[in-house]
Amino acid sequence: MPEQPLIRLVDVHKRFGANEVLRGVGFDVPKGDVVCVIGPSGSGKSTLLRCINALVPIEQGSIRVDGREVNDPKLDKLALRRKVGMVFQQYNLFPHRTALQNVMMAPIHVLKQERVEVEARARRLIAKVRLEGKEDAFPGELSGGQQQRTAIARSLAMNPDVMLFDEVTAALDPETVKEVLVTIRELAEEGMTCVIVTHEMGFAREVADHIYFTDRGVIVEHGAPREFFAEARDPRTRQFLSQIL
Amino acid sequence: MRALPRGTDLPVLLPVAPRRAAPGGQAGRLRARHGAWLALALLAALAVGEAQAGPGEDSIVAAILRWTPLLGQGFALNVAMSFIAMTVGTAAGTLLGLCQISLMPPVRGSSRFVTQFFRNAPWLVLLFYCMLLLPFELRIGGVVIPLPGWVKATFGLSLPVMANMSEIVRGAVQSIPFGQWESAESLAFTRRQTLWMIILPQCVKRMLPPWMNLYAILVVGTPLCSIVGVNEAMTLTNDALAAEARRELLVPMYLYLLLWFFLYCYPIALWTGRLERRFAVDA
């Protein structure tokens, strides 16, 4: 029997009021894979990510993360979220805490780990995202790119099995986009399972094992990057790519 | 350019220079010039009073100075009542405010009702209720705790403080961007942890200026207690005026009391404005 995928979505439906945002989305993310989700704004990409770590409940379908059914009322959401890291478009660092404290808070208070050990790990992670020397800076003193890398370190401090990235470069200045993408690419190369919602096509082509194109709540087309960009068949995909590339 | 026909119903956007916020903060805040006007009015009233004083009577200034120690005692009670009411009201209001953002509908609904009730009830009505409904002493076991009028009045004042504090807390919590909740949630913080470790610490800064405003309002509200018979500065001023029985003392004496309140509230207003500006830059 082949290894079970780390994330399996089957026929996921989600509506906000009368607006059906997800209309039967399904895909698998094998362990260690990098999946990029692209598509026009409002196609439900961000909602899709939020469903995976149960920030947003779904109405129909099934989401399994490491064998755990997310769409289960008895689900231990906190246990799920310890395994699923998420990075947001707006960074959402805690502004009243320093970069180092931001990274240390969750392991100490959620995982109840030893402060000394957490601090050592946090310092390593901050170095890993190339922010040595910024440990004691408050988020307001960091650039957008630095804040976003701190947010990545904060998520990694929980030792997640999978990382979700929600348009993490969309709010950044063009010159700082690259430093964040480099950080994510390094993670991907180390074998971290990633689901990345992005508008950076070049990045998606380079880093993804598989690309999904969503439009109006369904997956229109998917494939390995090479075929996806070269031989998109669906007219909607082709139109989208022609506008972006 | 063609002129618009007369009487057009087309909306016309006139060039308007946006009014810049005064450097001192919000409009309506106490300023030094208000104190200067007050002092000027007092001087004028003193001059008029002296002119009206009959032959052989004390000067107005001497009369006011004679009553000043007593007035000071009364004012100390105003300050004490405001302190206690603020402390009690802040503690109770913080709890009530947190109940207002509870996820449990009965808790949320009832705390909203209590907040709105005490926020909109006239202070004087609350004061009368407390004076008339609370006993003059409490018996707990064998211990008798006397409840003098000023204690009951202080309790009455703390009710609107509580309600306003409740709204300050709710407003501050709801002003924190939703992304803070979301990212805390995604890091597996519980709701309670999120509130205490992430949301509320960010609220303190935002709550401080309105909280200090509330205190200033409370201080100028304490003379209401004179109506229910508490011996605070306003009551004692009335007593002094009755004892002197000199009509020319009336205007200067009340202006003098007003000046006391100004001198107490002005530094608070200054400090609040400074904090507001500092936090505005930070945010």
Side-chain angles (χ1 to χ4, degrees):
Chain A
M1 196 175 120
E3 203 188 344
Q4 201 186 25
L6 189 57
I7 301 176
R8 167 162 281 177
L9 279 73
V10 181
D11 192 32
V12 173
H13 286 258
K14 172 70 197 171
R15 59 166 70 243
F16 292 114
N19 185 14
E20 196 162 23
V21 191
L22 299 176
R23 301 182 299 154
V25 174
F27 61 76
D28 286 354
V29 183
K31 192 168 172 48
D33 262 22
V34 175
V35 161
C36 283
V37 182
I38 62 173
S41 313
S43 61
K45 309 183 296 292
S46 291
T47 307
L48 189 63
L49 283 191
R50 282 166 172 72
C51 292
I52 296 177
N53 68 352
L55 284 180
V56 170
I58 62 173
E59 268 108 44
Q60 190 188 321
S62 155
I63 299 177
R64 297 184 85 84
V65 177
D66 203 11
R68 214 191 304 259
E69 176 57 57
V70 175
N71 189 21
D72 173 359
K74 293 196 294 287
L75 166 83
D76 181 356
K77 287 185 186 170
L78 299 183
L80 169 78
R81 289 173 189 152
R82 280 175 210 154
K83 293 285 145 211
V84 182
M86 183 156 184
V87 184
F88 299 87
Q89 181 178 342
Q90 296 296 339
Y91 339 129
N92 297 343
L93 291 178
F94 306 133
H96 60 302
R97 297 296 184 99
T98 63
L100 185 67
Q101 288 169 340
N102 263 279
V103 179
M104 289 170 61
M105 264 175 97
I108 288 176
H109 297 289
V110 174
L111 302 179
K112 313 281 180 202
Q113 292 172 342
E114 282 298 320
R115 175 175 285 274
V116 183
E117 174 203 327
V118 171
E119 183 171 341
R121 190 166 80 236
R123 286 186 187 280
R124 275 203 305 279
L125 284 168
I126 286 184
K128 181 186 168 73
V129 298
R130 298 194 183 83
L131 284 172
E132 298 106 322
K134 296 289 183 190
E135 287 88 351
D136 296 323
F138 284 92
E141 300 163 346
L142 299 172
S143 74
Q146 291 170 333
Q147 288 192 57
Q148 195 58 291
R149 283 182 283 151
T150 310
I152 294 173
R154 179 176 70 172
S155 238
L156 290 175
M158 296 288 281
N159 279 329
D161 293 338
V162 54
M163 290 282 286
L164 311 176
F165 294 93
D166 182 19
E167 295 192 31
V168 292
T169 58
L172 296 178
D173 297 331
E175 58 265 36
T176 55
V177 166
K178 201 175 162 209
E179 61 192 40
V180 173
L181 294 183
V182 166
T183 305
I184 300 176
R185 192 177 60 206
E186 283 172 2
L187 272 181
E189 283 163 359
E190 288 165 18
M192 174 65 79
T193 312
C194 297
V195 182
I196 303 172
V197 167
T198 186
H199 286 300
E200 301 285 336
M201 292 306 137
F203 174 68
R205 189 202 309 246
E206 181 189 347
V207 80
D209 295 302
H210 214 86
I211 292 184
Y212 292 89
F213 175 77
T214 62
D215 188 25
R216 282 172 233 152
V218 290
I219 290 173
V220 176
E221 192 155 11
H222 66 94
R226 193 187 302 268
E227 302 124 51
F228 180 85
F229 284 104
E231 309 156 16
R233 284 176 295 268
D234 190 279
R236 278 180 287 181
T237 320
R238 285 223 291 268
Q239 192 200 354
F240 179 76
L241 291 178
S242 70
Q243 280 165 1
I244 280 225
L245 293 179
Chain B
M1 193 168 65
R2 226 161 34 136
L4 280 169
R6 255 168 210 284
T8 175
D9 57 353
L10 283 174
V12 177
L13 194 63
L14 295 171
V16 177
R19 249 184 85 180
R20 277 201 285 160
Q26 300 167 333
R29 171 147 302 147
L30 280 182
R31 301 201 198 295
R33 66 164 190 274
H34 298 144
W37 288 342
L38 199 55
L40 219 62
L42 178 59
L43 284 178
L46 284 175
V48 172
E50 295 292 5
Q52 286 176 333
E57 283 182 309
D58 270 355
S59 85
I60 297 278
V61 176
I64 286 182
L65 285 179
R66 196 166 55 240
W67 289 103
T68 293
L70 188 70
L71 252 165
Q73 275 176 31
F75 195 77
L77 184 59
N78 288 61
V79 171
M81 286 196 301
S82 71
F83 262 53
I84 299 171
M86 197 64 191
T87 310
V88 174
T90 300
T94 305
L95 277 177
L96 195 62
L98 291 178
C99 288
Q100 280 204 83
I101 50 166
S102 163
L103 291 180
M104 285 177 279
V107 175
R108 196 172 56 229
S110 56
S111 58
R112 287 218 169 142
F113 175 78
V114 170
T115 301
Q116 289 308 322
F117 180 83
F118 285 113
R119 220 163 79 94
N120 293 301
W123 291 32
L124 201 50
V125 174
L126 296 177
L127 276 177
F128 268 105
Y129 265 114
C130 287
M131 295 308 275
L132 299 176
L133 293 182
L134 292 176
F136 67 94
E137 60 183 27
L138 273 181
R139 282 171 192 280
I140 302 170
V143 190
V144 178
I145 304 166
L147 284 183
W150 71 269
V151 171
K152 293 200 264 183
T154 305
F155 181 74
L157 288 175
S158 65
L159 292 173
V161 173
M162 169 190 77
N164 282 287
M165 186 64 196
S166 170
E167 279 298 87
I168 291 175
V169 169
R170 185 187 62 83
V173 168
Q174 290 181 346
S175 75
I176 301 292
F178 182 67
Q180 293 287 310
W181 286 97
E182 215 176 25
S183 66
E185 233 181 321
S186 78
L187 289 165
F189 283 101
T190 63
R191 185 177 160 83
R192 176 172 299 191
Q193 283 176 324
T194 307
L195 196 58
W196 287 100
M197 290 171 11
I198 292 153
I199 304 298
L200 287 180
Q202 296 183 52
C203 289
V204 173
K205 269 186 185 181
R206 295 172 194 228
M207 291 191 302
L208 212 49
W211 182 76
M212 288 167 69
N213 271 336
L214 180 59
Y215 180 66
I217 291 169
L218 170 66
V219 170
V220 297
T222 50
L224 282 174
C225 299
S226 70
I227 300 174
V228 292
V230 177
N231 277 329
E232 47 70 72
M234 185 70 184
T235 311
L236 294 179
T237 307
N238 289 338
D239 290 353
L241 285 169
E244 289 279 342
R246 292 168 66 182
R247 288 190 55 193
E248 68 269 23
L249 207 53
L250 196 83
V251 175
M253 198 74 161
Y254 282 126
L255 278 173
Y256 181 57
L257 179 63
L258 206 52
L259 194 63
W260 275 74
F261 276 97
F262 176 84
L263 289 178
Y264 187 71
C265 289
Y266 179 60
I268 301 174
L270 268 187
W271 193 24
T272 311
R274 197 167 301 163
L275 285 177
E276 267 178 7
R277 259 166 294 152
R278 208 175 89 203
F279 295 158
V281 174
D282 275 15

